[in-house]
Amino acid sequence: MEGQPVQPAPEETPRDANPANVGLELFGYVGIEAVLDQMRIKTMKTGFEFNLMVVGQSGLGKSTMVNTLFKSKVSRKPTGPSYEERIPKTVQLQSVTHVIEEKGVKMKLTVTDTPGFGDQINNENCWDPIIKYINEQYEKYLREEILISRKRKIPDTRVHSCVYFVPPTGHWLRPLDLEFMRRLSKIVNVVPVIAKADTLTLEERAEFKKRIQKDLKAHGISVYPQEDFDDNSDDRILNNKIRDKIPFAVVGADKEHQVNGKRVLGRKTKWGIIEVENPAHCEFPLLRDLLIRSHLQDLKDITHNVHYESYRVQRLNESNRLALSPINGLLGKDEVESDL
Amino acid sequence: MASSEVARQLQNDNCRPLSLSGHVGFDSLPDQLVNKSINQGFCFNILCIGETGIGKSTLIDTLFNTSFDDRVSTHFQPNVRLRAQTYELQESNVRLKLTIVNTVGFGDQINKEDSYQPIVDYIDAQFEAYLQEELKIKRSLYNYHDTRIHVCLYFISPTGHSLKTLDLLTMKNLDSKVNIIPVIAKADTISKTELQKFKIKLMSELVSNGVQIYQFPTDDETISKINATMNGHLPFAVVGSMEEMKVGNKMVKARQYPWGIVQVENENHCDFVKLREMLICTNMEDLREQTHARHYELYRRCKLEEMGFRDTGPENKPVSLQETYEAKRHEFFGELQRKEEEMRQMFVQRVKEKEAILKEAERELQAKFEHLKRLHQEERMKLEEKRKLLEDDMIAFNKRKAATELLQAQAFASTPSVSLKKDKDRKKDPGFRLELLCFDVRDHEIVSVQEQSEREKLERDRISHREFQK
């Protein structure tokens, strides 16, 4: 007993103190689930941000679609007959930001439009400005994140979702579509939609969709919802249903008409009124549900956890294997020596 | 060729509000967020600091209405240690990963100067682990098991007088690192009036010493009122118990004394219910947020500044972290190269030295070899001479022998007495001849007769020695 050296050391084993995390039964009500309400209150106070980008040739109804989605004049494109739309010589990106509120939930919505995309005779590299813009947003966020004294809430301008409008040819995807989607699906969530779907009959629509799905698979383009990011089997079932219907055939309209005594959003033509929100007429409700009602948070999460992280990894690796960690940078003796 | 112009029409705070003409549906956003969090699960880490036997484990058991760990610690710990245990609790659809960190041996030592240090180190270590993960290149923050301490329950002994120096010292060192909620333990030993005075004294002491304890947030209207009232009740006087007793017609958690029953969940008896409300039901999320947004950021800032990284350079120009890293890297690289040069020089020198020594040794050996060779040669020459002499002798002898034989043959007929002499001579001669033969055989060993006799002598000596030893 005498002379036994006692070696004290703080027992710091937070993670594997117990080899298996012990699952315990609660004997009665504790109140843990109140944390959900707390979270809800907090998020309602801070508000949400959502950044959407619409890409497609001019005249496919992008601005109308955005207006229909958010039921307000988000993009102010006058649609009167006297308006002459000038097609810009180069691809430009225009962002408009609005704050919208519904039932106490505030959302800062930013819509980025891309006039001039695919409108030139030679459309080579017309996706470059778009890719540059998206990467610029990632860069901005990265800079804010690695500051020493950084803001409590980093302003998020990263593009959460890119809606790509496919012209309703009824045949296959064009080379421009394939190229664009191939490049962009790697850095952002791409949601392809068939624009102006009222020019296709239901059978033509189904055929077109099947061909598009085959094309996408053949070229290895993974559009949102990506198969790799399904969290659990419930998600997978839900997402599989969505994946069957991608790309949605949508019609946009921002004028209201009278149908059967109700006022509905729709397009009035000589042969009938196409109701935008009628699932039998077009798949706009599905798109809206996907983008806003059910998968908005998921879009943001995938952008943050997957696309932003891969940009960050690439960026940090670029600077000569300079680890962002100050610890690694200084103690990176092993790293550096091994290269020598 | 293609240029991109981003025309941002409205900046952050000047966004134009837009009115919606119909139901869009993003009011489900908080629900979406909550559902995601449910899938991921929550993490909550509590640190309990208090003397041994003050009732930390019992209180935690009572708070979470379950029994965690039954180990009772001794009073004879040489140092303060921290013991962390993680449990998975589930209530309806909410999964909580709860980590309870207990201080073992706090306040038991005779010299308590360093009691708070292990605690500070532990908290810093958790921040450090998170910082490391955040700064990695390939990181996975969203499924990282967050071990940062979200709240620290500091157990004050119910002396009724004032804070102990140890308490003050510890809290002073921890208030900028963690949210501290002080509680008065074993509150059933203080009477109501004493308790009031005690609370006032404690709070005034904390304030006058500049200890920042956690204040429940009052910025949200829904909970500001209740939080404000609770702030006035700090520190909470709690009693913990897992034993159930029948009071009236209900089974309640209580402690039974001969003079009555102290009910844990009775607000008149103690503040346990308030603590549970505040800690779990109302402010758990806020505690987590404060830990991340305030304490962790402070730690991160201090740590990075310590390392020498700055946001703005010496001319107040914003220096990107990148440039600082480059500079540091060059510096480090340079130092590394210098060290390497040094080592290389040393190595070369050592090698030279060794080489010199070896050469020396070689030369010596060579000299020795030459010397031995020369000796060899001389010996050989000598022996050759001797041999020649002996051969000459042999020839002379043979001649003489032939002559004497002749004489013998002539004298054979005359006298036999000569034969005796000849016999003697003959006897001698074969002996001599034998010797010569032997010498011949051993000639190639170039061992002279003298040496051989010496060798034999040595041999004999050795054998006799051996026999002697036996």
Side-chain angles (χ1 to χ4, degrees):
Chain A
M1 270 310 163
E2 273 280 325
Q4 251 189 17
V6 182
Q7 284 297 336
E11 278 178 23
E12 297 173 24
T13 52
R15 251 158 264 151
D16 19 291
N18 274 359
N21 283 342
V22 185
L24 289 180
E25 294 246 334
L26 297 174
F27 298 151
Y29 178 73
V30 176
I32 299 178
E33 56 179 5
V35 74
L36 298 178
D37 285 326
Q38 297 169 27
M39 193 180 259
R40 205 168 275 143
I41 296 174
K42 262 204 194 295
T43 48
M44 298 224 340
K45 210 164 54 127
T46 48
F48 298 88
E49 284 170 318
F50 188 56
N51 306 319
L52 187 69
M53 182 187 271
V54 283
V55 183
Q57 281 174 304
S58 61
L60 280 181
K62 304 189 289 290
S63 320
T64 320
M65 175 56 59
V66 174
N67 288 347
T68 325
L69 264 176
F70 291 101
K71 290 220 168 52
S72 50
K73 285 242 181 288
V74 177
S75 49
R76 283 121 139 271
K77 283 261 176 75
T79 45
S82 58
Y83 177 69
E84 261 179 52
E85 183 161 327
R86 269 228 233 103
I87 297 179
K89 289 245 163 54
T90 56
V91 178
Q92 296 180 329
L93 287 104
Q94 292 169 350
S95 288
V96 191
T97 310
H98 294 280
V99 172
I100 45 184
E101 181 179 332
E102 193 175 60
K103 292 213 185 106
V105 179
K106 284 200 264 308
M107 182 155 91
K108 193 164 118 197
L109 174 72
T110 307
V111 178
T112 310
D113 201 351
T114 54
F117 177 83
D119 286 335
Q120 274 76 41
I121 295 185
N122 181 0
N123 283 314
E124 247 174 45
N125 297 331
C126 64
W127 47 78
D128 277 345
I130 301 175
I131 295 184
K132 186 155 157 232
Y133 174 77
I134 295 177
N135 284 337
E136 264 171 30
Q137 307 315 307
Y138 286 147
E139 182 68 27
K140 235 193 266 185
Y141 193 87
L142 181 64
R143 294 255 153 158
E144 287 281 339
E145 199 189 25
I146 65 178
L147 275 184
I148 300 212
S149 20
R150 49 191 189 185
K151 302 200 188 100
R152 197 169 253 235
K153 189 163 177 334
I154 302 176
D156 191 3
T157 53
R158 303 171 290 188
V159 177
H160 298 132
S161 165
C162 174
V163 181
Y164 185 72
F165 286 73
V166 175
T169 57
H171 294 173
W172 297 275
L173 284 176
R174 301 164 304 153
L176 175 64
D177 302 331
L178 283 170
E179 272 303 310
F180 178 85
M181 283 205 268
R182 191 165 60 85
R183 277 157 209 271
L184 255 76
S185 58
K186 296 199 188 108
I187 57 174
V188 76
N189 299 319
V190 175
V191 181
V193 292
I194 302 175
K196 297 205 165 166
D198 47 341
T199 54
L200 299 168
T201 65
L202 290 178
E203 295 86 15
E204 284 168 358
R205 255 192 235 170
E207 274 298 313
F208 192 25
K209 268 202 224 188
K210 252 199 273 208
R211 281 195 217 115
I212 291 183
Q213 281 172 2
K214 231 195 302 187
D215 259 346
L216 289 177
K217 206 177 267 201
H219 284 83
I221 303 174
S222 69
V223 294
Y224 185 83
Q226 294 97 336
E227 275 175 354
D228 311 319
F229 307 136
D230 282 336
D231 279 332
N232 48 23
S233 52
D234 290 333
D235 272 352
R236 196 164 300 135
I237 297 175
L238 184 66
N239 286 347
N240 275 340
K241 278 202 220 131
I242 297 176
R243 279 189 275 264
D244 278 338
K245 302 233 182 69
I246 292 260
F248 296 128
V250 294
V251 178
D254 46 2
K255 286 214 183 59
E256 286 193 343
H257 302 273
Q258 229 17 23
V259 171
N260 291 344
K262 284 193 300 170
R263 289 197 67 79
V264 289
L265 275 178
R267 280 173 68 77
K268 187 161 182 205
T269 59
K270 288 224 165 59
W271 46 92
I273 295 183
I274 304 161
E275 293 165 46
V276 165
E277 299 206 350
N278 188 336
H281 289 198
C282 78
E283 290 175 339
F284 171 79
L286 289 176
L287 177 68
R288 183 196 46 207
D289 287 347
L290 178 75
L291 278 185
I292 301 176
R293 290 196 189 164
S294 55
H295 284 74
L296 202 154
Q297 188 58 39
D298 192 43
L299 283 164
K300 288 173 60 166
D301 280 344
I302 292 192
T303 310
H304 180 66
N305 292 332
V306 177
H307 297 297
Y308 170 68
E309 287 295 319
S310 56
Y311 174 80
R312 183 174 173 275
V313 167
Q314 185 202 1
R315 187 83 173 75
L316 297 180
N317 272 335
E318 249 170 32
S319 26
N320 288 338
R321 266 171 284 111
L322 195 69
L324 189 57
S325 153
I327 318 290
N328 283 354
L330 292 182
L331 286 184
K333 261 200 245 166
D334 310 314
E335 227 181 44
V336 183
E337 266 182 15
S338 63
D339 305 327
L340 295 177
Chain B
M1 195 184 106
S3 65
S4 79
E5 296 167 48
V6 178
R8 279 200 159 256
Q9 298 176 358
L10 297 158
Q11 260 320 306
N12 280 335
D13 297 325
N14 309 334
C15 286
R16 209 174 306 176
L18 210 56
S19 55
L20 305 171
S21 55
H23 176 67
V24 176
F26 60 87
D27 53 341
S28 64
L29 264 180
D31 292 323
Q32 289 180 33
L33 191 60
V34 162
N35 283 340
K36 278 234 167 232
S37 305
I38 290 181
N39 281 337
Q40 267 190 320
F42 294 90
C43 250
F44 197 57
N45 308 318
I46 304 182
L47 168 67
C48 295
I49 306 184
E51 295 169 356
T52 317
I54 208 169
K56 304 186 286 286
S57 312
T58 317
L59 184 69
I60 297 290
D61 282 354
T62 324
L63 259 178
F64 289 99
N65 222 342
T66 178
S67 66
F68 287 118
D69 192 4
D70 282 325
R71 271 189 283 171
V72 181
S73 18
T74 75
H75 284 271
F76 297 102
Q77 305 285 350
N79 271 61
V80 176
R81 282 183 5 247
L82 286 102
R83 191 172 60 208
Q85 271 143 341
T86 310
Y87 306 95
E88 289 212 11
L89 305 173
Q90 178 150 8
E91 187 175 74
S92 54
N93 56 351
V94 177
R95 278 177 298 124
L96 181 70
K97 224 184 213 156
L98 182 71
T99 305
I100 313 231
V101 186
N102 259 315
T103 50
V104 177
F106 188 76
D108 276 337
Q109 292 81 31
I110 295 179
N111 180 2
K112 299 184 216 164
E113 256 178 9
D114 291 326
S115 291
Y116 67 88
Q117 197 57 47
I119 304 176
V120 170
D121 290 340
Y122 180 82
I123 297 178
D124 277 345
Q126 306 319 305
F127 282 148
E128 186 63 40
Y130 191 85
L131 183 65
Q132 290 272 24
E133 180 68 29
E134 195 189 15
L135 295 178
K136 270 197 205 160
I137 293 193
K138 263 207 152 94
R139 61 188 189 181
S140 58
L141 272 180
Y142 56 91
N143 54 9
Y144 175 77
H145 176 58
D146 190 5
T147 52
R148 299 173 292 182
I149 301 290
H150 297 128
V151 69
C152 164
L153 288 177
Y154 197 94
F155 288 75
I156 300 175
S157 308
T159 56
H161 294 306
S162 62
L163 273 181
K164 294 194 188 151
T165 342
L166 174 65
D167 294 342
L168 208 51
L169 187 64
T170 313
M171 280 205 264
K172 200 84 179 68
N173 274 298
L174 291 176
D175 67 351
S176 58
K177 294 189 184 283
V178 74
N179 303 314
I180 301 185
I181 298 183
V183 292
I184 302 173
K186 300 202 167 172
D188 47 352
T189 50
I190 316 185
S191 71
K192 252 203 159 67
T193 35
E194 278 178 5
L195 188 63
Q196 273 303 100
K197 275 195 266 171
F198 190 34
K199 280 193 186 181
I200 296 174
K201 189 85 190 348
L202 282 178
M203 289 307 281
S204 68
E205 269 200 353
L206 287 173
V207 166
S208 62
N209 279 289
V211 174
Q212 292 198 6
I213 56 173
Y214 176 72
Q215 296 289 327
F216 302 117
T218 49
D219 44 1
D220 185 17
E221 313 80 42
T222 45
I223 51 174
S224 64
K225 244 202 318 194
I226 185 173
N227 275 348
T229 34
M230 291 300 176
N231 274 330
H233 283 283
L234 278 174
F236 294 127
V238 293
V239 175
S241 166
M242 284 304 284
E243 291 165 358
E244 300 217 333
M245 240 134 269
K246 200 172 176 78
V247 170
N249 51 357
K250 283 197 302 167
M251 293 293 284
V252 293
K253 291 205 266 286
R255 286 174 65 79
Q256 186 167 52
Y257 290 105
W259 47 87
I261 298 182
V262 178
Q263 291 163 37
V264 165
E265 283 170 343
N266 187 335
E267 298 227 24
N268 289 329
H269 291 199
C270 73
D271 295 331
F272 173 79
V273 176
K274 294 199 185 76
L275 176 66
R276 186 175 61 192
E277 264 280 323
M278 284 293 102
L279 189 63
I280 302 175
C281 306
T282 319
N283 295 309
M284 197 194 262
E285 190 58 32
D286 185 63
L287 284 164
R288 279 149 45 105
E289 197 189 301
Q290 290 282 2
T291 309
H292 179 68
R294 201 148 61 102
H295 301 294
Y296 170 70
E297 286 295 315
L298 182 66
Y299 174 83
R300 179 178 175 273
R301 190 167 40 233
C302 292
K303 195 68 199 271
L304 290 182
E305 275 178 4
E306 208 179 271
M307 297 270 161
F309 299 105
R310 299 248 177 300
D311 276 339
T312 58
E315 297 107 33
N316 260 6
K317 272 192 306 188
V319 173
S320 74
L321 234 48
Q322 189 94 339
E323 294 168 21
T324 327
Y325 294 132
E326 283 281 334
K328 275 227 173 296
R329 188 169 173 261
H330 275 283
E331 192 185 306
F332 178 69
F333 217 50
E335 173 142 352
L336 201 71
Q337 281 199 329
R338 202 171 40 81
K339 275 207 180 114
E340 213 190 304
E341 267 308 306
E342 241 177 74
M343 272 166 58
R344 206 174 289 166
Q345 297 282 26
M346 215 155 67
F347 181 69
V348 167
Q349 206 175 346
R350 284 247 178 91
V351 166
K352 273 206 190 110
E353 278 175 26
K354 211 58 191 257
E355 257 185 43
I357 291 174
L358 281 170
K359 267 212 178 93
E360 213 25 74
E362 203 183 326
R363 243 180 287 136
E364 262 176 50
L365 268 169
Q366 190 82 343
K368 217 174 188 173
F369 181 65
E370 296 280 312
H371 179 68
L372 273 171
K373 207 168 167 186
R374 246 180 292 128
L375 278 174
H376 237 210
Q377 291 284 60
E378 279 174 19
E379 282 286 326
R380 214 194 177 120
M381 302 267 286
K382 265 194 222 151
L383 285 164
E384 278 292 327
E385 281 177 28
K386 249 190 181 160
R387 193 193 184 171
K388 267 222 176 79
L389 277 170
L390 279 164
E391 274 194 20
D392 287 336
D393 271 342
M394 235 173 85
I395 294 173
F397 172 71
N398 276 340
K399 275 200 191 133
R400 258 194 15 232
K401 184 182 169 194
T404 44
E405 269 184 358
L406 209 65
L407 268 170
Q408 215 181 39
Q410 282 178 357
F412 205 25
S414 44
T415 36
S417 60
V418 189
S419 63
L420 257 154
K421 196 175 159 200
K422 283 192 185 115
D423 272 335
K424 267 200 224 163
D425 279 328
R426 218 178 290 141
K427 273 198 201 128
K428 255 205 239 167
D429 297 332
F432 192 66
R433 194 177 290 136
L434 219 60
E435 235 186 288
L436 205 64
L437 269 171
C438 291
F439 196 85
D440 264 328
V441 165
R442 273 179 269 168
D443 192 45
H444 70 282
E445 276 191 21
I446 319 176
V447 168
S448 67
V449 185
Q450 246 178 335
E451 276 191 39
Q452 181 64 14
S453 60
E454 276 182 50
R455 242 192 240 175
E456 280 176 18
K457 216 194 271 177
L458 279 165
E459 195 66 43
R460 254 179 277 135
D461 279 312
R462 216 186 303 147
I463 292 170
S464 61
H465 226 319
R466 229 179 275 153
E467 285 180 2
F468 186 62
Q469 276 185 352
K470 276 192 203 153

